[in-house]
Amino acid sequence: MIKVDIKEYTLEFKIPAGTSRGVYTTKDSFFIILTDDKGNLGIGECGILRGLSCDDRPGYRDKLKEVSDNISHYLNNIDKLADWPSIRFGLETAKRSYESSNAEVLYKSSFVEGNTPIPINGLIWMGKPSFMQAQIEDKLKNNFACVKLKIGAIDFEEEYHILRDIRKRYNSSDLEIRVDANGAFLPKNALSKLDRLAKLDIHSIEQPIAAKQFEEMSKLIKNTPLPIALDEELIGVNKLEDKENLLTFLNPQYFILKPSLIGGICACEEWIALAERMNIPWWATSALESNIGLNAIAQWVFVKKNKMIQGLGTGSLYTNNFDSPLTVEKGALYYMNSKEWDYSNLGI
């Protein structure tokens, strides 16, 4: 008989993480832990981002208790959690972990065997120009072939000058630059900003204007000189028909999959099937999960054989993350089998 335990855990940032939506100093996660009398273990992370996750609403803990009290039902009907995307992700990964011969190996591959890393971008958080510049220097010293800058919180001219200075030092064949506005631009001046950014050979911009402005976003995508990647736009779009309608209407240059925010691996697979049919490239990004959630996303992404640089380097952000084999070196995420998992902070 499967036993279930729900553990709440607060992750603490080493340094404040600035975005256009505000500054994060902590992040709450909930862990679904499955065990049985034979010693089998399964663990999955339900990670929510305050103010962004569509299931960041009253009743979250009550829903987790309902899942816990009816675990057999929900394990066999995970799709019933479509309106609770982070819980759906946590439960489906806990189930896969439990059913595996090794709780940490959700997808067997050369990645978890320690043979093949996943190329990732170096994430640059918003802040004073000197702070952003210091982060950039650190990423470049560590051989990242791609950096992603959060923009939209400080003066655009200052952000533009930082990007211009990077491009003066490294051309686009040596360093890929992505930017993420988190919806910070206004529709009336977004195109002019994209025109300027395009002159710097920026790879793409994530969510230049706020989500759900469909007419404005459609016009921007049609006229942009800079490829646009949809991000927040996918949150809360749970029905397959709605997903298809969204991509058909907007027809973005890229879109980005964040399993915790859009309904887990099952939902991501639906988006990917549409992407392949419509020839829209995609990549995956973690959403500030601990190493437990990051591990599940990384292993899944690897077996999808997506050749783009992924956004999976958030594991080193926290002072109290879980020790794991996940290691970032030379611009890539490695699974170092010489290191062990440590769940002691969860009482496991």
Side-chain angles (χ1 to χ4, degrees):
M1 180 177 177
I2 296 178
K3 302 173 185 176
V4 60
D5 194 11
I6 307 293
K7 294 287 184 71
E8 184 172 353
Y9 192 74
T10 299
L11 294 156
E12 299 176 353
F13 284 84
K14 293 178 181 177
I15 55 175
T19 75
S20 60
R21 291 186 299 272
V23 178
Y24 292 106
T25 57
T26 62
K27 181 193 172 294
D28 296 326
S29 276
F30 299 81
F31 294 90
I32 298 176
I33 302 166
L34 305 176
T35 57
D36 61 24
D37 294 335
K38 297 179 181 179
N40 294 315
L41 170 68
I43 184 166
E45 180 173 2
C46 310
I48 55 176
L49 286 177
R50 300 299 181 190
L52 181 59
S53 299
C54 66
D55 48 4
D56 176 26
R57 63 183 192 265
Y60 192 90
R61 288 176 176 82
D62 292 339
K63 192 66 182 182
L64 279 171
K65 186 177 186 308
E66 180 188 328
V67 170
S68 177
D69 291 343
N70 301 276
I71 192 62
S72 295
H73 168 74
Y74 279 106
L75 283 171
N76 292 310
N77 296 278
I78 293 178
D79 59 318
K80 300 294 185 183
L81 294 169
D83 292 335
W84 300 88
S86 64
I87 299 177
R88 186 183 187 188
F89 172 65
L91 184 60
E92 69 177 352
T93 52
K95 179 181 180 181
R96 193 171 188 96
S97 170
Y98 174 80
E99 292 175 347
S100 171
S101 59
N102 182 330
E104 288 80 32
V105 178
L106 283 71
Y107 298 85
K108 293 182 179 180
S109 70
S110 61
F111 171 67
V112 292
E113 291 169 357
N115 299 323
T116 311
I118 301 172
I120 62 172
N121 61 242
L123 185 59
I124 311 300
W125 293 99
M126 291 176 176
K128 294 180 180 179
S130 59
F131 170 65
M132 295 179 73
Q133 194 65 52
Q135 294 178 77
I136 293 166
E137 294 299 330
D138 178 68
K139 300 303 180 188
L140 296 178
K141 287 178 182 177
N142 284 283
N143 299 316
F144 279 86
C146 174
V147 292
K148 171 182 155 181
L149 282 78
K150 296 276 189 178
I151 64 173
I154 63 175
D155 180 70
F156 178 74
E157 291 302 322
E158 290 184 335
E159 293 170 339
Y160 183 83
H161 290 154
I162 291 171
L163 291 164
R164 185 187 63 187
D165 289 344
I166 299 173
R167 188 51 83 213
K168 283 181 179 178
R169 295 169 56 193
Y170 300 90
N171 62 39
S172 57
S173 61
D174 294 326
L175 181 67
E176 182 176 295
I177 300 175
R178 299 174 179 175
V179 295
D180 182 1
N182 287 129
F185 295 167
L186 298 175
K188 64 181 180 181
N189 60 22
L191 188 58
S192 64
K193 291 182 177 180
L194 299 188
D195 283 334
R196 293 185 65 192
L197 291 170
K199 293 180 173 64
L200 301 178
D201 288 327
I202 303 297
H203 172 271
S204 58
I205 181 168
E206 297 179 29
Q207 205 69 42
I209 63 174
K212 314 309 176 189
Q213 301 180 88
F214 301 115
E215 293 293 339
E216 290 85 350
M217 183 65 87
S218 176
K219 292 176 184 176
L220 201 56
I221 289 172
K222 288 176 182 176
N223 296 295
T224 182
L226 175 62
I228 290 174
L230 298 185
D231 181 359
E232 287 92 339
E233 205 74 65
L234 278 54
I235 297 174
V237 184
N238 298 325
K239 296 179 180 178
L240 181 59
E241 180 183 2
D242 293 338
K243 293 172 185 176
E244 184 172 13
N245 290 339
L246 177 72
L247 293 183
T248 300
F249 182 72
L250 295 181
N251 193 26
Q253 285 81 21
Y254 299 104
F255 65 77
I256 299 166
L257 299 174
K258 294 182 177 178
S260 290
L261 296 180
I262 63 173
I265 304 302
C266 293
C268 288
E269 295 286 0
E270 291 183 346
W271 285 108
I272 291 171
L274 292 170
E276 291 175 347
R277 200 172 81 208
M278 302 171 72
N279 295 313
I280 302 174
W282 62 274
W283 66 88
T285 302
S286 49
L288 303 182
E289 294 89 357
S290 75
N291 281 333
I292 293 171
L294 177 62
N295 180 54
I297 298 169
Q299 291 188 33
W300 165 73
V301 167
F302 186 86
V303 299
K304 298 308 295 181
K305 299 181 179 179
N306 184 295
K307 300 300 183 184
M308 299 197 71
I309 294 173
Q310 307 297 314
L312 303 175
T314 58
S316 61
L317 292 175
Y318 304 112
T319 61
N320 59 340
N321 208 338
F322 307 98
D323 290 341
S324 80
L326 297 172
T327 306
V328 176
E329 288 184 3
K330 298 180 180 179
L333 182 67
Y334 290 79
Y335 197 94
M336 310 288 278
N337 282 301
S338 58
K339 298 181 179 181
E340 295 186 354
W341 283 90
D342 183 358
Y343 302 127
S344 57
N345 289 351
L346 293 176
I348 301 176

